[in-house]
Amino acid sequence: MGPLKVFVIAGEPSGDALGGALMAGLKQEAQEVSFDGIGGPLMQAQGLTSRFDMSELSVMGIAEVLPKYRHLKRRIAETARAIIDLKPDVLITIDSPDFSLRVAKLVKAGSDIRTVHYVAPTVWAWRPGRARKMAAMIDHVLALFPFEPPYMEAEGMACDFVGHPAATVPRASVAERAAFRARHGLRDADPLLLVLPGSRRGEIKRMAPTFGAALGRLAQKRPNMKMVLPAAGAVAPLVREAVAKWPVSPLVLDPTGQDPGAAASEKRIAFGAADVALATSGTVSLELAAAGTPMVSAYDLHWLSRAIISRMVTTDTGSLINHVSETRVVPEVVGKDFTVDNVVRAMEGLLADPSAQQDAMELTMDLLGRGGADPGLRAARAVLTRMG
């Protein structure tokens, strides 16, 4: 038997991180393995030559996808054709369902190539029918959350919980946190507030004005309050532009031009050094839980996406901490409730009692696999085991 041929697709930075770890795991577990597909710098570091720039696939929300639909459709068709021609042993698609699942559907229609999808759709939160649709083109799902396999198995797909990468992130030490504060002139910060307005362009444009106004109001009562804003590299210029209009000036951590490892370490330490966080809802809440930093979670969508999606939601919480821990301790300011007044009120409550979230954050990390094998390795073993 020749080398295992894997075609792997990721469409945004979180998927690139999962893909890089999975590829490293496959290289460790398989005798010989070759990769083809689409991915970012972390997957490329594991030996992938990406067929085109992954950033073409980073679109979110219904209104945001529409203008790029024709181009995406063309990319979907050419990617599926390439996979069918290449005949890999397995196609692994990572998140980005608007692209990934359409590719998998065409591949299934034109071949018997095994399909694996990494990151189960959030059917426990909204649009439960997605699992049934996915079963038509996906054989095996790799799940980040322990409560997800039954939803996938009920529709006939194999599913393995492989752990969440956030649970593997080491917590910043007391010395690292103190050095970070000293390095950035934040020793006397009281409180030190972490600001996370999102990692996608649309999110930042929607969230930043309200965040800035709310932080300005909070700072009026707290002369020693200081803020740190770790920006994702792809949107750092947009973040700087948004922050320039704020009544307060957070320290922006910009990874542009830095060694990726050093930038990731600085971000991890910033998460640990902060007292509290104001965060756009998403997987960043798990990074905060890993750091032990309590948060207010906020989110808003384009009005059209909000109108459509609000009719499909099946859960009363969008916070992953609340969901995994089966509590409701993380305050959420979402949709039409996402106003300056409500953000200020939620942050005041958090600052009054920041320890209220501690137990739920610890439980979440334990349930997501803290202390277990690396998720990339678990994912690789699950892929290989199910292939027989």
Side-chain angles (χ1 to χ4, degrees):
M1 189 180 158
L4 178 72
K5 278 171 35 180
V6 178
F7 198 102
V8 59
I9 298 170
E12 49 191 315
S14 57
D16 182 44
L18 293 171
L22 170 60
M23 288 168 69
L26 286 168
K27 284 176 9 188
Q28 185 177 323
E29 294 292 299
Q31 295 270 283
E32 271 187 283
V33 59
S34 68
F35 298 106
D36 197 336
I38 301 147
L42 297 172
M43 289 163 69
Q44 288 166 33
Q46 293 296 332
L48 178 74
T49 302
S50 187
R51 286 176 171 255
F52 56 84
D53 195 311
M54 180 186 80
S55 66
E56 287 186 30
L57 309 183
S58 291
V59 285
M60 251 305 259
I62 295 149
E64 292 81 357
V65 171
L66 290 175
K68 299 181 178 175
Y69 181 69
R70 283 176 65 177
H71 179 69
L72 276 175
K73 204 170 174 185
R74 201 161 49 245
R75 284 297 199 199
I76 288 162
E78 73 181 44
T79 303
R81 206 160 41 242
I83 295 164
I84 292 167
D85 291 346
L86 193 73
K87 298 186 180 67
D89 297 296
V90 62
L91 164 63
I92 303 175
T93 53
I94 305 170
D95 213 358
S96 301
D98 289 325
F99 183 82
S100 293
L101 297 182
R102 286 181 171 91
V103 170
K105 185 177 183 178
L106 293 177
V107 168
K108 268 296 178 207
S111 75
D112 59 357
I113 293 164
R114 183 169 179 76
T115 53
V116 177
H117 190 65
Y118 196 171
V119 183
T122 51
V123 294
W124 39 271
W126 71 295
R127 274 175 62 205
R130 285 176 294 164
R132 186 166 303 125
K133 277 189 184 158
M134 199 166 108
M137 72 278 295
I138 296 296
D139 299 311
H140 179 199
V141 181
L142 303 172
L144 299 184
F145 296 103
F147 52 77
E148 291 177 322
Y151 291 97
M152 303 299 114
E153 290 162 352
E155 302 301 343
M157 292 173 282
C159 186
D160 293 294
F161 164 60
V162 295
H164 198 291
T168 67
V169 177
R171 197 163 278 188
S173 68
V174 173
E176 284 176 322
R177 298 198 300 265
F180 175 87
R181 285 187 174 225
R183 190 161 60 245
H184 294 294
L186 301 167
R187 270 202 186 102
D188 61 343
D190 181 26
L192 180 57
L193 203 148
L194 196 68
V195 187
L196 300 156
S199 58
R200 297 184 183 93
R201 297 184 67 81
E203 279 176 347
I204 291 157
K205 286 177 177 169
R206 279 191 304 277
M207 307 301 289
T210 304
F211 272 26
L215 293 168
R217 293 247 303 267
L218 285 167
Q220 283 170 2
K221 296 183 191 171
R222 295 177 173 80
N224 295 324
M225 180 175 118
K226 293 192 175 166
M227 290 150 288
V228 175
L229 194 165
V235 291
L238 182 66
V239 166
R240 288 191 181 281
E241 196 183 305
V243 165
K245 299 172 187 152
W246 287 5
V248 287
S249 300
L251 164 72
V252 176
L253 298 180
D254 184 346
T256 310
Q258 284 188 37
D259 169 75
S265 175
E266 184 80 335
K267 178 184 165 185
R268 176 182 64 84
I269 296 165
F271 273 55
D275 296 305
V276 294
L278 172 59
T280 292
S281 182
T283 52
V284 75
S285 63
L286 299 178
E287 294 177 62
L288 289 165
T293 302
M295 70 206 80
V296 164
S297 179
Y299 203 71
D300 199 11
L301 284 161
H302 184 285
W303 69 267
L304 175 61
S305 300
R306 189 206 294 171
I308 295 167
I309 287 168
S310 64
R311 291 173 170 78
M312 307 175 182
V313 171
T314 57
T315 178
D316 66 338
T317 179
S319 162
L320 289 166
I321 310 304
N322 287 345
H323 203 94
V324 176
S325 66
E326 295 185 352
T327 66
R328 295 296 180 264
V329 293
V330 173
E332 297 175 89
V333 189
V334 181
K336 63 181 188 307
D337 296 327
F338 177 60
T339 64
V340 174
D341 283 351
N342 287 342
V343 172
V344 170
R345 198 174 295 118
M347 288 302 297
E348 294 281 12
L350 176 63
L351 287 162
D353 186 14
S355 65
Q357 297 177 29
Q358 224 59 52
D359 289 349
M361 291 192 293
E362 296 300 322
L363 176 61
T364 297
M365 288 300 105
D366 290 342
L367 291 172
L368 295 188
R370 180 165 59 186
D374 177 77
L377 191 57
R378 287 172 69 174
R381 286 173 180 159
V383 169
L384 296 169
T385 301
R386 297 277 189 178
M387 286 176 74

